[in-house]
């Protein structure tokens, strides 16, 4: 049996109190659905003395449309609520990505706040204490060496959230609050190059994510999400691809491809010059080739890097063909 370290749970009723508790209690962490954090505690990846629960904060609930058309997702909205939301149906890739996270129980507990703040993942890290000790630990936790890149300089554990590539492609912004007040950061700037927990995100460690703002889409929006994993349920992505487009008739007017489950930062593929044309088979092949060339999987996750890279091309082409047919 994997035992967790002992901790005390606190249940604030306002975001302000949650931030205050997190800032003042030593060795504290936020917990929302707990579907990422609690397994990590069983592996002794963190030893908090206090958990500040986010499940009783009304300010973090609900999916709403703001006056300028922005969609706001409260951080405590569950993945199941996202997957079944009538409002989000206008952005097909997002409820689709939410519906592919883990299994049904995880999606009813797991939140979008926890999904964007998911710890980076690696074959050498998401293991029991005994397993990690046997290989001399690693740079991300208790050691000084990265077994993936063979150096002690940085951690390349993968950002593995299903919704994040989609949110990047949509130009979403993260709304958060600290003891200094509310703030926002573009999600593209949230993730850093180093996957260590204290360096992976570009907001203060004690920041409470309150919601996610998704700007209005261009007209003719079509989007989808492809997830590569060994089993068709429960597994984390071994590669994930969000394809966000706009069409004017058969002409591709806007295109964004974001690939996840690679490195601590999702990869925004440079597709300059690929729009303004009909999305015929040649255009699809050219876009898929660009993705293949720019994607370089590591040995941080299951699946040979060459195989995952090959699938980046295959899945991009499948996604584009699917969107063309709509
Ligand atoms: C078997 C299994 C399979 C899984 N498969 C997938 C998968 O395929 N794809 C995927 O994306 N995820 C997967 N997950 C992870 C998880 O279910 C989801 O990522 C979920 O969205 C996490 O949300 P949560 O509310 O449970 O987060 P928690 O576990 O509560 O928190 C996760 C992290 O985010 C922080 N946090 C949470 N909310 C906030 C907030 N509002 N502000 C600041 N910090 C916050 C916590 O402190 C913690 O560090 C899987 C988990 C399990 C156990
Ligand atoms: S990428 Fe390297 S440092 Fe990071 S978790 Fe994996 S082995 Fe550890």
């Amino acid at each position: 049996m994997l035992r967790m370290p002992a901790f005390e749970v606190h249940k604030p009723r306002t975001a302000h109190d949650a931030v205050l508790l997190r800032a003042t209690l030593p060795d504290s962490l936020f917990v929302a659905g707990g579907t990422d954090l609690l397994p990590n505690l069983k592996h002794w990846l963190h030893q908090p003395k206090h958990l500040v629960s986010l499940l009783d904060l009304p300010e973090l609930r609900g999916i709403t449309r703001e006056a300028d058309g922005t969609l706001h997702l409260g951080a405590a909205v569950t993945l199941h609520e996202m997957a079944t939301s009538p409002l989000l149906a206008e952005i097909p890739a997002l409820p689709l990505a939410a519906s592919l996270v883990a299994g049904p129980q995880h999606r009813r507990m797991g939140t979008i706040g926890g999904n964007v703040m998911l710890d980076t993942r690696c074959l050498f890290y998401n293991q029991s204490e005994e397993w990690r000790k046997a290989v001399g630990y690693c740079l991300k936790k208790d050691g000084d060496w990265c077994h993936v890149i063979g150096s002690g300089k940085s951690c390349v554990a993968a950002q593995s959230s299903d919704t994040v590539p989609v949110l990047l492609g949509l130009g979403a912004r993260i709304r958060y609050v600290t003891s200094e007040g509310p703030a926002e950061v573009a999600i593209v700037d949230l993730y850093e190059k180093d996957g260590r927990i204290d360096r992976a995100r570009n907001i203060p460690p004690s920041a409470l994510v309150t919601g996610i703002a998704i700007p209005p889409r261009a007209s003719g929006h079509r989007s989808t999400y492809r997830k590569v994993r060994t089993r068709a349920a429960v597994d984390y992505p071994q590669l994930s691809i969000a394809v966000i487009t706009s069409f004017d008739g058969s002409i591709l007017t806007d295109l964004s491809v974001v690939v996840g489950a690679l490195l601590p930062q999702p990869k925004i593929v440079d597709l300059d010059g690929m729009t303004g044309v009909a999305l015929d088979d040649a255009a699809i092949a050219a876009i898929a080739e660009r993705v293949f060339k720019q994607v370089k999987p590591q040995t941080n996750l299951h699946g040979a890097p060459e195989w995952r890279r090959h699938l980046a091309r295959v899945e991009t082409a499948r996604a584009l063909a699917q969107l063309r047919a709509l």
Side-chain angles (χ1 to χ4, degrees):
M1 186 198 289
L2 294 171
R3 290 182 186 282
M4 287 191 273
F7 51 77
E8 194 180 333
V9 178
H10 304 260
K11 293 189 162 185
R13 296 302 170 105
T14 65
H16 175 266
D17 287 352
V19 170
L20 202 64
L21 281 167
R22 176 75 174 82
T24 51
L25 289 169
D27 299 324
S28 61
L29 289 173
F30 289 130
V31 61
T35 60
D36 174 45
L37 186 66
L38 297 187
N40 288 351
L41 295 189
K42 288 184 180 177
H43 287 164
W44 287 69
L45 295 170
H46 321 283
Q47 289 104 37
K49 297 271 185 293
H50 303 273
L51 292 188
V52 179
S53 170
L54 305 178
L55 293 186
D56 295 323
L57 307 181
E59 300 120 293
L60 268 57
R61 297 243 164 235
I63 304 175
T64 49
R65 194 192 303 280
E66 298 176 345
D68 67 352
T70 296
L71 288 175
H72 174 86
L73 307 184
V77 166
T78 66
L79 297 161
H80 173 74
E81 286 168 333
M82 286 177 68
T84 54
S85 159
L87 268 183
L88 294 190
E90 62 192 57
I91 319 172
L94 191 54
L96 175 61
S99 77
L100 295 175
V101 172
Q105 295 95 333
H106 302 107
R107 292 194 293 273
R108 281 177 192 263
M109 284 304 294
T111 64
I112 184 62
N115 203 236
V116 297
M117 296 299 281
L118 186 74
D119 194 4
T120 54
R121 297 186 62 80
C122 176
L123 286 173
F124 294 92
Y125 174 71
N126 297 102
Q127 304 287 354
S128 67
E129 162 77 12
E130 290 73 21
W131 193 103
R132 291 183 294 109
K133 187 177 176 188
V135 297
Y137 298 105
C138 80
L139 189 62
K140 185 162 158 74
K141 174 70 181 160
D142 299 330
D144 57 9
W145 190 253
C146 172
H147 303 292
V148 173
I149 54 171
S151 104
K153 287 197 186 127
S154 74
C155 163
V156 294
Q159 209 298 326
S160 302
S161 317
D162 280 298
T163 64
V164 164
V166 179
L167 291 170
L168 255 93
L170 292 169
R173 296 184 67 78
I174 301 294
R175 292 172 167 167
Y176 65 94
V177 58
T178 66
S179 40
E180 289 173 13
E184 272 192 25
V185 62
I187 193 167
V188 65
D189 296 325
L190 182 64
Y191 304 105
E192 297 284 7
K193 283 195 174 136
D194 194 317
R196 279 176 274 184
I197 188 84
D198 53 337
R199 303 179 187 207
R201 291 180 293 248
N202 181 25
I203 56 176
S206 60
L208 170 68
V209 174
T210 51
I212 291 134
I214 303 170
R217 271 73 48 216
S219 65
H221 170 87
R222 298 180 200 175
S223 61
T224 192
Y225 176 72
R226 309 283 302 187
K227 173 171 181 171
V228 173
R229 55 180 164 177
T230 304
R231 299 174 296 181
V234 180
D235 284 351
Y236 280 91
Q238 291 164 278
L239 186 85
S240 58
I241 303 181
V243 182
I244 314 292
T245 63
S246 298
F247 282 80
D248 182 1
S250 62
I251 304 298
L252 183 66
T253 52
D254 211 358
L255 172 65
S256 171
V257 175
V258 183
V259 185
L262 291 171
L263 293 167
Q265 291 174 315
K267 174 75 185 167
I268 300 174
V269 180
D270 177 4
L271 293 168
D272 204 27
M274 302 307 266
T275 53
V277 295
L279 190 63
D280 56 17
D281 289 350
I284 288 180
I287 294 166
E289 187 62 19
R290 283 263 196 116
V291 174
F292 174 78
K293 285 203 168 128
Q294 293 176 50
V295 161
K296 300 199 171 50
Q298 305 288 319
T299 54
N300 49 5
L301 301 178
H302 287 291
E306 305 75 33
W307 173 74
R308 288 160 61 215
R309 191 173 182 214
H310 166 69
L311 283 178
R313 174 161 50 199
V314 171
E315 293 296 341
T316 302
R318 285 180 180 159
L320 288 166
Q322 184 190 335
L323 294 178
R324 178 178 63 181
L326 291 176

